[in-house]
Amino acid sequence: MSGDGYPASSARRGVGARGRGNAARTLARSHACSGSGSGSGSGSCRGSCSGSGIGIGIGIGIGIGIGDDRSMQDDSDPRIHSPAAERNRAPILAQLQRLLPPRGSALEIASGGGQHAAHFAAGLPQWRWQPSDGDARAQASIAAWCAGLPNVLAPITLDVMAPAWPGVPATVDAIFCANLIHIAPWPCCGALMRGAARHLGDGGLLLTYGPYLEDAVETAESNLAFDAELRRRHPDWGLRRIEDVAAQAAAAGLRLRERVAMPANNLLLAWARPS
């Protein structure tokens, strides 16, 4: 599996909010994308990618039985606990604090259980954080994790594949999406880029996190194994070449501004409009 193990968010199931629900209904971090014929996503694809017909559940672990995040969870606690999110939230936050300005508004796509939202919002107190996920259980978990944080809005349902994203502000300063692109049908990637281009304000960043393939970089054995397992689970999933993702971004008017190597063979990619 990849360094993190598996996606911590449930948005993969839908791509995003509706994708997840719809990603699971989006499976697309469990979190599918319409038009793909398959219903899976990373957490927010169906939740964020509608029309997949496959719902992953909350997080890949929960949705497809890989690294089930619920094993140590108290049934009376609505919060979903993801070991992967627990491990990677601090290094991701450190990069967000470096890359983002002191204040702004952010949309998180395929938020999953909400551990990232809670941690990032607490570490970026001058940012208004809008989580999204298509899975009802994930939304309840997000609300529980973020209770008491004044800068976190109520989670919304978001279908990444939709031509418009109702409920999302016309302009945001940043969009964060973790572990969605590889756990969703490929069309979700282009839809994510187009949606980000519609909603990012001047100087805004789309930040995508997860494992990728790179032509000039040898792929870690753990990522090769994770890719094989994803493709075994669903033919429309799998690690994506950064070069292919960059082509989808370019078609939407975005370019790769920065590549940040992260723990466990993951990358944080910052996408923006050309200066």
Side-chain angles (χ1 to χ4, degrees), residues 4-24:
D4 282 341
Y6 294 88
S9 127
S10 66
R12 285 75 164 180
R13 136 199 206 139
V15 162
R18 176 192 178 99
R20 248 194 112 172
N22 282 327

Side-chain angles (χ1 to χ4, degrees), residues 192-220:
L192 172 64
M193 296 298 175
R194 292 189 295 274
R198 289 195 304 270
H199 288 277
L200 284 174
D202 293 341
L205 292 177
L206 166 64
L207 298 150
T208 62
Y209 171 86
Y212 293 86
L213 302 176
E214 298 179 89
D215 289 351
V217 178
E218 183 177 1
T219 304

Side-chain angles (χ1 to χ4, degrees), residues 178-189:
N179 295 314
L180 167 65
I181 294 175
H182 56 287
I183 309 174
W186 176 239
C188 288
C189 178

